[in-house]
Amino acid sequence: MGVRLMVVDDHRLLAEALASALKLRGHRVLAAAAPTAGAAELVVSRAPEVCLFGTATPALPGTFDPIVRIRRERPQVAVVVLGPVPSPRGIAAAFAAGAAGYVRHDERIEGVERAMVKARAGEAAVAPQLLQGAFAELLNPAAQPDDEGQRLLQMLTPREVEVLVRVADGEDTRLIAAGMGIAPSTARTHVQRVLMKLGVGSRLEAAALAARTGLLDRAAPPSQDQ
């Protein structure tokens, strides 16, 4: 039986893409929304069985405040966080706020479904190896943890970063070209270079990778004088 759910993410493109994929698999999606800051109001009013809560910054203070309110006002709603790994403090913060599960952002759709079903049944929806990895990192923190978002950002030129931000905002080639004051053919070339450098095959994959590694949060907003 399908799950009645809501999908919220700070990046609307990602929320809508995941919602569409879950609809095709027989689930009832009540809403796909952004940003997560407004999640509590929506969840409280719609009362889904499960809320998928996507975030690229689980360790930041206040990230899971909406979950605290959801659990207070709609305790029957199970919240499953989709976040980056490794992030031991983020995982701990999610459960402390009342989340029922934590799933890697790069998990396959089947894994997300399993987490949804377990959370709805009142079970903890988190992979044992994920918890083991989190505990291992907390006990033996790396001296210089790998920053995937920063690494990806350094691979791109400033113009390519702007293109990526616009792609993540859902702009097509025509809008990217108009916004940056360049020809559509040049915009198309920039997009292809971004996809190649990130090692992904589509704009959606590029947006997902950038959002989940925190690259978009580090990028400067598109310039207004180009």
Side-chain angles (χ1 to χ4, degrees):
M1 187 174 67
V3 176
R4 192 175 75 254
L5 72 137
M6 290 180 54
V7 183
V8 294
D9 196 289
D10 284 331
H11 303 284
R12 183 172 295 276
L13 182 65
L14 305 184
E16 292 178 349
L18 181 56
S20 296
L22 290 170
K23 281 182 183 178
L24 291 175
R25 299 178 73 88
H27 299 287
R28 183 184 173 195
V29 180
L30 303 182
T36 53
E41 195 72 37
L42 244 124
V43 173
V44 168
S45 64
R46 299 289 184 91
E49 293 175 303
V50 175
C51 170
L52 295 180
F53 187 99
T55 178
T57 56
L60 287 184
T63 295
F64 298 125
D65 285 353
I67 298 180
V68 174
R69 181 184 169 192
I70 291 169
R71 293 298 297 160
R72 183 177 66 246
E73 299 187 29
R74 291 286 186 180
Q76 73 274 24
V77 177
V79 181
V80 176
V81 174
L82 304 179
V85 175
S87 181
R89 288 180 177 78
I91 294 173
F95 280 97
Y102 191 105
V103 180
R104 291 175 61 124
H105 64 72
D106 57 355
E107 177 63 81
R108 296 174 63 88
I109 191 71
E110 294 86 357
V112 176
E113 282 187 298
R114 284 193 297 270
M116 287 162 39
V117 172
K118 288 185 70 173
R120 182 178 63 176
E123 302 176 37
V126 58
Q129 61 268 31
L130 194 59
L131 284 179
Q132 290 168 4
F135 281 124
E137 185 175 328
L138 283 173
L139 293 172
N140 301 288
Q144 293 183 326
D146 181 34
D147 189 332
E148 183 71 2
Q150 185 62 33
R151 184 183 68 80
L152 293 175
L153 191 61
Q154 291 174 347
M155 293 170 57
L156 305 175
T157 67
R159 176 143 291 198
E160 288 167 349
V161 171
E162 180 174 349
V163 168
L164 179 57
V165 171
R166 292 179 182 278
V167 165
D169 285 340
E171 295 187 11
D172 58 18
T173 302
R174 179 182 57 81
L175 286 175
I176 292 173
M180 297 179 65
I182 56 179
S185 59
T186 303
R188 193 173 300 110
T189 297
H190 281 313
V191 170
Q192 290 305 313
R193 286 178 178 168
V194 168
L195 299 185
M196 181 182 67
K197 287 185 177 183
L198 296 183
V200 296
S202 70
R203 296 179 181 217
L204 180 58
E205 287 180 274
L209 177 63
R212 298 305 187 187
T213 57
L215 191 157
L216 293 178
D217 298 310
R218 297 171 181 272
S223 59
Q224 303 298 316
D225 56 354
Q226 293 182 348

